[in-house]
Amino acid sequence: MNGFGVDPVAIDLRRLVERQVASLYAHLVTRPTGRAVRMAIESQLASAGEMALSVIDFSEVHVLDFSCADEVVAKLLLHYQPPEEATRAFFIFRGVSDLHLEPIQAVLERHRLAAVAEPPGGRCRLVGVRSDADARVWRSLEERGALSRGEVPAQLPDEVDRTTLESLVRRGLAFQRPESGDYLALSNLMRSLMG
């Protein structure tokens, strides 16, 4: 066990599409293609433990249409992070360039979701629907990397910010260690689990 209670699951979309879909492997277009990819991702996540961190790599995907973004991003988030239930999977969408961002942003907005995206060679960022408080608290945790439960009152003296931190965890945008109650940015969790 890795000490976090979270299984890492790395998913290279290019390789997944090559194996699952009889189309151009660098193009995620059409809803059936997106559905096939999502089902393959869900199959990989099914073999993980109770909680998983899935890093889904878009860096080799040259074309992403709105229907595939809906299937591969929004529907995964809706399935694994249902409202009012414990998050079962955390996601970082890696290699998200400007060409991916428009369809991803659109489907996240349509479903009123937010996600963590990492641009090529850049730092993780929060995309989709987010309040000013969401953005502020998420960025603060991202910059620190981690926040112990005991540090929360000093670092987040405003009750709104503390409530927002809890909301980020429920929505799968931040991680709270079950045994200690400490908070981790997903980028920090990714480095700890995957190197």
Side-chain angles (χ1 to χ4, degrees):
M1 186 54 93
N2 58 34
F4 293 96
V6 177
D7 289 332
V9 179
I11 297 171
D12 180 336
L13 286 180
R14 179 179 181 211
R15 288 197 176 108
L16 191 65
V17 173
E18 281 178 322
R19 288 194 316 264
Q20 300 293 326
V21 182
S23 68
L24 293 173
Y25 58 79
H27 296 67
L28 283 177
V29 294
T30 78
R31 187 162 297 277
T33 300
R35 187 175 303 114
V37 169
R38 177 178 47 79
M39 291 172 70
I41 293 169
E42 289 175 348
S43 176
Q44 288 186 24
L45 287 170
S47 63
E50 281 187 38
M51 282 193 291
L53 172 67
S54 181
V55 179
I56 300 177
D57 192 349
F58 280 83
S59 59
E60 295 295 322
V61 173
H62 302 301
V63 178
L64 176 68
D65 76 359
F66 290 88
S67 62
C68 279
D70 188 56
E71 289 287 340
V72 175
V73 178
K75 287 190 177 178
L76 276 175
L77 294 174
L78 288 167
H79 180 75
Y80 286 97
Q81 299 168 353
E84 308 307 321
E85 290 183 33
T87 296
R88 295 176 295 171
F90 299 84
F91 295 93
I92 294 178
F93 298 97
R94 175 179 266 171
V96 174
S97 67
D98 291 341
L99 69 93
H100 306 118
L101 194 56
E102 182 182 354
I104 289 174
Q105 184 71 26
V107 300
L108 291 174
E109 287 174 3
R110 186 170 65 236
H111 291 284
R112 309 250 345 118
L113 296 167
V116 177
E118 182 185 51
R123 296 181 61 148
C124 286
R125 61 183 176 175
L126 197 57
V127 296
V129 176
R130 64 219 180 266
S131 67
D132 290 342
D134 290 337
R136 180 180 60 251
V137 172
W138 184 88
R139 187 173 41 254
S140 176
L141 181 61
E142 180 68 23
E143 288 169 359
R144 291 179 59 86
L147 189 61
S148 74
R149 184 176 215 134
E151 293 174 314
V152 170
Q155 294 299 318
L156 302 173
D158 189 325
E159 180 64 32
V160 170
D161 288 349
R162 291 192 298 276
T163 301
T164 298
L165 179 60
E166 295 299 325
S167 171
L168 293 173
V169 170
R170 276 193 314 279
R171 293 161 53 206
L173 303 169
F175 176 73
Q176 185 175 23
R177 291 183 76 153
E179 72 288 348
S180 67
D182 294 345
Y183 298 89
L184 275 79
L186 292 188
S187 61
N188 191 4
L189 182 61
M190 176 178 63
R191 283 189 299 273
S192 298
L193 294 175
M194 300 178 171

